[in-house]
Amino acid sequence: MPIPRPDRQGDRVIAHVDMDCFYVQVEQRKQPELRGLPTAVVQYNEWKGGALIAVSYEARKFGVKRSMRGDEAKMVCPSIHLVQVPVARGKADLNSYRSAGSEVVSILSARGRCERASIDEVYLDLTDAAETMLSESPPEAIEDIDEEALKSHVLGITGADVDGLNNVRRWLCQSDAVHKDKLLACGTIIVAQLRDEVLRKTEFTCSAGIAHNKMLAKLASGMHKPAQQTIVPSSAVTNLLASLPVKKMKQLGGKLGSSLHDDLGVNTVGDLLQFSEEKLQERYGVNTGTWLWNIARGISGDEVEGRILPKSHGCGKTFPGPRALKTSSCVEHWLNQLCEELNERVQSDLEQNKRVANTLTLHATAHKASDIQLHKKFPSKSCPLRYGRDKIQEDAKKLFDSGLREFLGSHTDGWRVTSLSVIASKILDIPSGSCSILKFFQGKSQSITSGGSLEDILDDDPSCSTERDDEHKVFSYEECSKDGGAPSQDGLINTVCAQKKSIKPKDKGKNSILKFFSSIDAPAKQAQNVPNSSDPQGYDDRRHCTHDGISLRRLDDLWTIRAADIDPSVVDELPLEIQQEVQGWLRSSKRPHNCTRRSSLLNYFSLDKPT
Ligand code: TTP
């Protein structure tokens, strides 16, 4: 459901940068002789020359479309060059596209907060850079404005002929403009410079939209392609939205868009202006109603998130028509391939970015042999992600089996699977500190075997589904993913929680957190079984504060930490939120009572901290 975020942040300068026919450009850089020629990237299979997934602008002129198969593209454009996507493990290997995307991100992120929205698009918040330019060298003081900036399409200002260039120059340099237009003018120049730098350093062209919010910037970036930029001054918003079909808006492509059309007769975003906020709330609920009221006016407070790494890693493959999987062993074979890639990517993320993925999700599309309930979908399933290829493979298979049982119900007379994907999500940073909790856990992860098992299979986590939207380019076709790479077979997540038992600490710092843990050498391990909780990590969710200490439970273990054993300076090494919690424990441990808490040091170490 859309969440309305009124823009309370003043005059922002937001850009959406989208690479042009991205996979084609990556392939053309590898084979420069293809530059300027009609080219398409094809995901090869034997059926009709494979599916086109990216089409160069030269080929588009002949009428070649992404929806075509290779054979059809050859018919409409006999001179087209079809380049096959690299293949690994029997499926498309997107690594070269991912790293090409990262090259671009590293250039774009130099001028402002940068959010990588997919393999080939980013949002930039350039407000600060624009403010700085405005105060230090405003456009009207620049003698030679970059031609790329002059070629911009400023909505409401005439096009790119000679008069157009002069009009744009006048718009960029108007000294009596309102502050927000001046900022946008600076943003225009900055984005032109950035696009130029991307071209020089990577040989890739990109297009951009520049506006006061993400929604408008995204709408604008696709308006003039390839290698151009479009600006949306506030004064042009009403016109832009007046003729914009609702289905073009993110979040209005589905049922909500259809209901607006069928029930309210709304065709364009501008048509929404005739409805009061109350009316829209009455019909669609408070949040969606307000969100609709806002977008009709071009209002959106969504922030550029400051994230250049992916929110999740996904690997998927489709098995259309006769290639559908019909036996458990076929599914297992492909799950193993997908999980092997996923394992490499989460390991690489851990090693390069110090990030840990917490949730493994399996999605599948399945059909029954005798399908009475045609509408019934294969339920997506999630569980805690255990590190190590074999564990991921084992867990993914369990998730699949659990989903299949639910999907089939009593109809066990045959099925076929036409798509499979595995996703690692809820990715969190491992915090670093002076005496480095991080080093400690990394050290442990090399030496401790994960003891965890698949404690609890959950129905698909809604957060995973949301992330699929962000990655539509990934999951809607054959392949998927974002960044990733390299292995260690040891479990980290389970390890982190179970580490107390196997620590042979190397004392690295005076007040080290190591000492803190290693000093607790007499845990009250109780031979009792603690019932499994709803917590998928297998933890009893309680921290018991007793008169002299804190007990942390994990299944059949109970560790007791005496308050008197805790060197307060050790606590300083913990992140602030955990410090506060530990201080709370220490305070409460002086009072004899039991308490139940939710946010937790244990959760923190289990890396299942709420985000
Ligand atoms: P897009 O940005 O949607 O398209 P594009 O970059 O090819 O072309 P445009 O200039 O119109 O933006 O997708 C980026 C890449 O993602 C694309 O080059 C190939 C891949 N992709 C697929 O593999 N399958 C798909 O269905 C789509 C839409 C994209």
Side-chain angles (χ1 to χ4, degrees), residues 26-56:
V26 175
E27 295 304 332
Q28 287 177 331
R29 187 171 69 170
K30 288 185 210 157
Q31 301 179 58
E33 66 279 11
L34 294 180
R35 267 187 215 290
L37 301 179
T39 308
V41 174
V42 61
Q43 190 138 310
Y44 183 75
N45 59 48
E46 28 335 322
W47 193 57
K48 295 187 179 174
L52 265 54
I53 53 174
V55 180
S56 76

Side-chain angles (χ1 to χ4, degrees), residues 105-374:
V105 168
S106 68
I107 296 165
L108 294 177
S109 57
R111 298 293 289 272
R113 192 161 63 234
C114 176
E115 175 182 330
R116 190 171 185 178
S118 80
I119 200 161
D120 80 328
E121 57 184 325
V122 303
Y123 289 98
L124 301 173
D125 187 333
L126 298 169
T127 313
D128 290 346
E131 289 280 10
T132 307
M133 177 184 256
L134 191 58
S135 62
E136 290 172 3
S137 59
E140 67 243 44
I142 303 176
E143 272 186 21
D144 275 331
I145 293 189
D146 184 29
E147 197 181 330
E148 200 52 49
L150 294 177
K151 286 194 314 204
S152 301
H153 302 263
V154 184
L155 298 187
I157 306 283
T158 14
D161 53 11
V162 178
D163 275 350
L165 291 193
N166 284 332
N167 287 344
V168 172
R169 187 193 306 275
R170 270 195 293 279
W171 181 81
L172 289 172
C173 299
Q174 51 188 334
S175 52
D176 55 349
V178 291
H179 181 71
K180 53 161 54 172
D181 273 359
K182 287 187 175 183
L183 279 185
L184 222 46
C186 294
T188 303
I189 292 170
I190 294 167
V191 174
Q193 290 166 348
L194 283 171
R195 290 181 37 245
D196 197 48
E197 195 179 342
V198 168
L199 182 60
R200 273 187 291 107
K201 292 190 173 158
T202 68
E203 303 173 29
F204 299 142
T205 66
C206 54
S207 300
I210 303 142
H212 292 300
N213 64 47
K214 283 170 86 173
M215 176 184 87
L216 296 169
K218 165 97 181 170
L219 283 176
S221 65
M223 292 178 81
H224 297 96
K225 271 189 149 246
Q228 296 170 75
Q229 58 184 45
T230 306
I231 325 304
V232 190
S234 293
S235 55
V237 172
T238 313
N239 256 350
L240 169 66
L241 300 178
S243 55
L244 186 77
V246 277
K247 294 267 177 188
K248 293 255 176 193
M249 291 288 301
K250 199 179 166 195
Q251 291 159 310
L252 291 183
K255 284 184 192 159
L256 181 54
S258 303
S259 161
L260 286 171
H261 178 266
D262 300 345
D263 304 332
L264 298 184
V266 165
N267 292 313
T268 69
V269 177
D271 290 346
L272 282 167
L273 284 172
Q274 59 190 292
F275 300 100
S276 68
E277 188 172 358
E278 291 71 30
K279 168 87 183 160
L280 292 168
Q281 288 182 335
E282 213 174 89
R283 184 75 184 71
Y284 296 106
V286 174
N287 274 341
T288 306
T290 299
W291 181 79
L292 288 168
W293 191 89
N294 282 344
I295 60 155
R297 287 153 185 81
I299 300 169
S300 164
D302 286 354
E303 285 215 46
V304 174
E305 273 177 32
R307 167 173 58 76
I308 58 175
L309 297 170
K311 273 207 257 184
S312 61
H313 302 288
C315 305
K317 184 164 174 68
T318 54
F319 308 93
R323 288 187 290 144
L325 310 178
K326 294 179 185 134
T327 63
S328 226
S329 60
C330 284
V331 168
E332 186 167 356
H333 166 80
W334 282 109
L335 275 182
N336 284 350
Q337 307 299 313
L338 298 174
C339 291
E340 195 166 315
E341 182 187 332
L342 189 70
N343 175 57
E344 286 183 5
R345 304 220 338 252
V346 293
Q347 288 291 354
S348 165
D349 203 358
L350 173 62
E351 283 159 25
Q352 290 173 12
N353 309 315
K354 316 293 174 239
R355 302 196 314 158
V356 174
N358 284 271
T359 301
L360 174 69
T361 301
L362 176 124
H363 297 289
T365 312
H367 311 268
K368 290 178 202 168
S370 56
D371 215 339
I372 336 165
Q373 292 169 289
L374 276 172

